[in-house]
Amino acid sequence: MKKIDIETVVKVAKEIIKKKGVMGFSMSDLSTEGGISPGTLYRIVNNKSDILVHIFIGCLSKRLEMALIMKELPLTAKERFLVWNLYPSYLSEYRDKTYDYGVTILGSNQSVLSHSSPELIEKLNVIVSKNMATDRGLYEDMLKAGDVSSSSELTKSVFLQSITASRGVHVMSSNQLILPGKGHQITQSGISLLMNTLSQLDWGKLESVNEQRIMMAMRTGKDLSSTEAIWKGGLGAQDS
């Protein structure tokens, strides 16, 4: 008998989402396509909202993994900030097509959160806080490295603008109606968008930003064993 746990349920749910969309699948679909009895399914999750929250938590967990990976890569502080902000869109566009569905729907749908279990929401709040702290830390590192002398009001405004801009890139990369095929390169265009946003600041020192280094950094994923080979070999056909 195969083991049925939350990882199994989420995996089946993401496969269904690929075909029916976030709001188009039901618990009945999950039970039928996953070969999971309703009793077992409801012992693992309370409802569909719980499943979406689990997907969202997985999205944010992958992003935190990238924060650790970036420390091992030869990136400038500005490149680290850009990688961090664009990594979710990269995963949506090139790798896991369901990655950002959770971010997109849960980021704007309070009704989903209101129907989820309190324990799961508490776990979500913890990982959201960790992501926000990492976001602020990378931004501060970038400002320090760039010797920024802009006012605190402007730096705060640019920080919020960069978050808004990156979220827009995430949504576009994850929306299959906008991306019916490959070759749109939404993530790459996000580099220019964020650079234009950051140009509002008064930089005393201009750190280098290399688009290929940024894309290669995101391509490494969590497989650090292949990092050296990837950086020596450059971009493969998947990212070109």
Side-chain angles (χ1 to χ4, degrees):
M1 180 182 295
K2 65 179 180 179
K3 180 182 178 181
I4 305 297
D5 53 19
I6 185 58
E7 287 76 19
T8 302
V9 171
V10 168
K11 182 179 180 180
V12 175
K14 291 174 74 172
E15 289 300 318
I16 298 173
I17 288 173
K18 287 181 182 180
K19 296 181 289 186
K20 295 188 174 183
V22 175
M23 303 309 293
F25 82 98
S26 66
M27 294 290 279
S28 177
D29 292 331
L30 197 55
S31 177
T32 300
E33 297 201 21
I36 308 170
S37 69
T40 298
L41 180 59
Y42 282 102
R43 279 196 296 271
I44 297 173
V45 291
N46 292 329
N47 50 40
K48 179 177 172 179
S49 293
D50 274 4
I51 295 172
L52 293 175
V53 173
H54 274 291
I55 293 175
F56 189 29
I57 289 173
C59 292
L60 297 178
S61 297
K62 285 185 179 180
R63 197 165 181 237
L64 288 176
E65 288 175 357
M66 174 51 76
L68 296 175
I69 291 169
M70 288 190 300
K71 296 179 180 180
E72 307 294 327
L73 302 178
L75 301 169
T76 65
K78 187 176 288 185
E79 287 171 342
R80 285 188 173 88
F81 182 73
L82 294 177
V83 169
W84 168 256
N85 276 281
L86 294 174
Y87 188 53
S89 62
Y90 173 83
L91 289 177
S92 290
E93 189 172 358
Y94 292 104
R95 296 291 178 88
D96 181 356
K97 298 302 182 182
T98 65
Y99 174 85
D100 219 15
Y101 282 126
V103 175
T104 305
I105 190 68
L106 290 170
S108 60
N109 196 327
Q110 290 299 314
S111 65
V112 171
L113 300 178
S114 66
H115 288 90
S116 299
S117 63
E119 298 81 8
L120 197 54
I121 294 301
E122 183 177 354
K123 183 178 180 179
L124 174 62
N125 287 335
V126 170
I127 200 165
V128 166
S129 296
K130 290 181 178 179
N131 270 262
M132 291 176 63
T134 301
D135 219 331
R136 288 192 296 267
L138 289 169
Y139 186 67
E140 291 169 359
D141 288 346
M142 179 183 64
L143 298 184
K144 183 177 180 180
D147 192 22
V148 172
S149 60
S150 304
S151 68
S152 59
E153 291 81 8
L154 179 58
T155 56
K156 179 180 179 181
S157 175
V158 170
F159 177 56
L160 295 175
Q161 289 176 45
S162 68
I163 293 175
T164 301
S166 64
R167 297 303 181 271
V169 175
H170 300 175
V171 171
M172 291 183 69
S173 296
S174 64
N175 192 324
Q176 298 304 303
L177 294 177
I178 296 176
L179 294 175
K182 296 183 178 180
H184 295 272
Q185 299 184 327
I186 297 298
T187 304
Q188 285 95 321
S189 68
I191 296 174
S192 298
L193 176 61
L194 288 175
M195 286 298 294
N196 287 335
T197 302
L198 296 174
S199 68
Q200 300 173 74
L201 299 175
D202 184 11
W203 299 89
K205 178 183 177 182
L206 293 178
E207 280 201 306
S208 64
V209 172
N210 183 291
E211 182 175 313
Q212 188 181 46
R213 275 205 305 267
I214 290 172
M215 294 302 295
M216 281 195 293
M218 290 187 286
R219 182 184 171 187
T220 60
K222 65 179 181 180
D223 186 8
L224 284 175
S225 64
S226 65
T227 297
E228 184 176 355
I230 289 174
W231 281 78
K232 284 184 177 179
L235 292 176
Q238 184 179 18
D239 295 334
S240 60

